């Protein structure tokens, strides 16, 4: 907060310390208060483990949804490791940015900006930053539980509606076996389109196979992260 007050620039680029920023930064920015920029994820090793490969596919899905909804003017997620804010708008929203909750100020920035009618847009794919996948299962689940633990603090209707639809869609995979195929194909088509927009290699048949595994595992994984996050959200 004090850092934001001390700055003099109109725009501030927020990113994680371990994120690799693009080689060429934008020469001009759109007239907006929050610019949601895309992220890429890379494997931590030359021969990615199953966890890393599933994680890369999951992140493609998350990013596809993030950027698609932002372009539609109904942003429901915000890439916390890569976003640009107008400093005056951020300071105006500061009281609603939950700094008492670790990991997740990006979502609260998004909520506060939307609440005040600020202009939120999607940034150019060329401005993507790169993150490294978490290589160890325990650290991965701990990270995801931490993310899920902030869910009760959300107030934005678009975010809550999308969260409910996502939960129901995954629940139907268990309740209606035929829904598995619908969700699997829809998710993979969304990921394929996103990878094309980001100039990434196509998914391929192995990717479709991993997508099937992820579709089957996701309801149980989602429930584990939600329950674990809610019970541990005050002890991060």
């Amino acid at each position: 907060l004090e850092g934001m007050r001390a700055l003099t620039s109109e725009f501030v680029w927020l990113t994680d310390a371990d994120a690799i920023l693009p080689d060429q930064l934008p020469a001009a920015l759109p007239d907006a208060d929050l610019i949601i920029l895309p992220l890429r994820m890379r494997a931590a090793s030359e021969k990615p483990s199953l966890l890393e490969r599933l994680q890369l596919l999951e992140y493609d899905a998350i990013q596809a949804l993030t950027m698609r909804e932002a372009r539609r003017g109904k942003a429901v997620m915000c890439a916390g490791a890569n976003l640009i804010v107008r400093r005056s708008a951020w300071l105006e929203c500061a009281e609603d940015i939950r700094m008492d909750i670790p990991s997740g100020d990006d979502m609260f920035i998004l909520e506060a900006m939307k609440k005040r009618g600020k202009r939120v847009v999607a940034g150019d794919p060329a401005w993507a930053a790169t993150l490294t996948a978490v290589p160890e299962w325990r650290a991965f689940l701990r990270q995801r539980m931490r993310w899920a633990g902030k869910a009760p603090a959300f107030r934005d209707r678009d975010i809550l509606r999308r969260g409910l639809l996502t939960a129901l869609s995954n629940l139907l995979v268990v309740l209606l076996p035929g829904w598995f195929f619908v969700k699997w194909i829809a998710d993979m088509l969304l990921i394929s389109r996103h990878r094309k927009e980001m100039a990434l290699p196509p998914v391929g048949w192995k990717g479709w196979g991993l997508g099937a595994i992820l579709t089957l595992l996701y309801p149980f994984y989602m429930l584990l992260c939600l329950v674990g996050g809610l019970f541990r959200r005050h002890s991060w």
Side-chain angles (χ1 to χ4, degrees):
L1 180 60
E2 290 304 314
M4 280 292 209
R5 288 172 176 162
L7 289 171
T8 57
S9 57
E10 182 179 9
F11 291 99
V12 180
W13 195 319
L14 303 179
T15 185
D16 283 1
D18 60 344
I20 301 171
L21 293 177
D23 293 333
Q24 189 172 1
L25 304 184
L29 296 175
D31 182 20
D33 299 295
L34 172 59
I35 307 168
I36 299 176
L37 301 178
L39 285 170
R40 294 190 183 101
M41 184 169 282
R42 67 178 184 180
S45 55
E46 292 184 8
K47 294 183 178 180
S49 63
L50 176 61
L51 171 62
E52 289 176 289
R53 286 185 288 159
L54 289 173
Q55 197 176 156
L56 266 60
L57 195 62
E58 180 207 25
Y59 220 77
D60 278 341
I62 292 172
Q63 279 294 294
L65 180 61
T66 296
M67 302 311 294
R68 176 177 175 270
E69 297 297 276
R71 285 192 292 266
R72 293 176 61 229
K74 294 283 185 179
V76 293
M77 286 189 286
C78 193
N82 200 24
L83 65 151
I84 295 174
V85 295
R86 191 184 297 272
R87 191 173 63 91
S88 59
W90 189 97
L91 287 170
E92 187 179 333
C93 298
E95 64 183 34
D96 288 331
I97 300 172
R98 295 291 301 274
M99 300 180 193
D100 58 312
I101 299 179
S103 182
D105 58 327
D106 57 315
M107 292 292 288
F108 299 120
I109 292 171
L110 174 60
E111 277 200 328
M113 294 274 187
K114 291 177 69 175
K115 177 181 176 182
R116 288 167 172 77
K118 302 298 183 182
R119 186 160 184 252
V120 179
V121 302
D124 193 291
W127 304 346
T130 303
L131 296 178
T132 302
V134 181
E136 196 267 329
W137 279 101
R138 183 175 294 180
F140 169 76
L141 289 173
R142 182 178 173 84
Q143 181 192 62
R144 294 308 198 265
M145 287 179 185
R146 189 173 69 245
W147 290 358
K150 65 192 178 192
F154 295 146
R155 298 293 180 268
D156 180 79
R157 290 183 180 180
D158 292 331
I159 293 173
L160 294 173
R161 188 182 301 113
R162 172 56 71 177
L164 179 61
L165 288 173
T166 300
L168 288 175
S169 179
N170 280 284
L171 183 61
L172 286 176
V173 171
V174 179
L175 298 179
L176 299 174
W179 181 253
F180 160 80
F181 296 99
V182 176
K183 187 175 187 303
W184 171 47
I185 293 171
D187 286 349
M188 293 309 298
L189 289 175
L190 183 66
I191 289 172
S192 296
R193 181 178 177 181
H194 173 71
R195 291 183 71 84
K196 186 176 181 179
E197 291 172 348
M198 295 292 293
L200 295 171
V203 176
W205 291 111
K206 287 185 178 180
W208 278 80
L210 287 171
I213 295 173
L214 201 58
T215 302
L216 286 172
L217 292 178
Y218 222 80
F220 308 101
Y221 155 75
M222 183 184 66
L223 183 62
L224 172 65
C225 290
L226 184 61
V227 172
L230 293 177
F231 277 104
R232 298 188 61 183
R233 67 181 186 274
H234 297 302
S235 59
W236 297 118

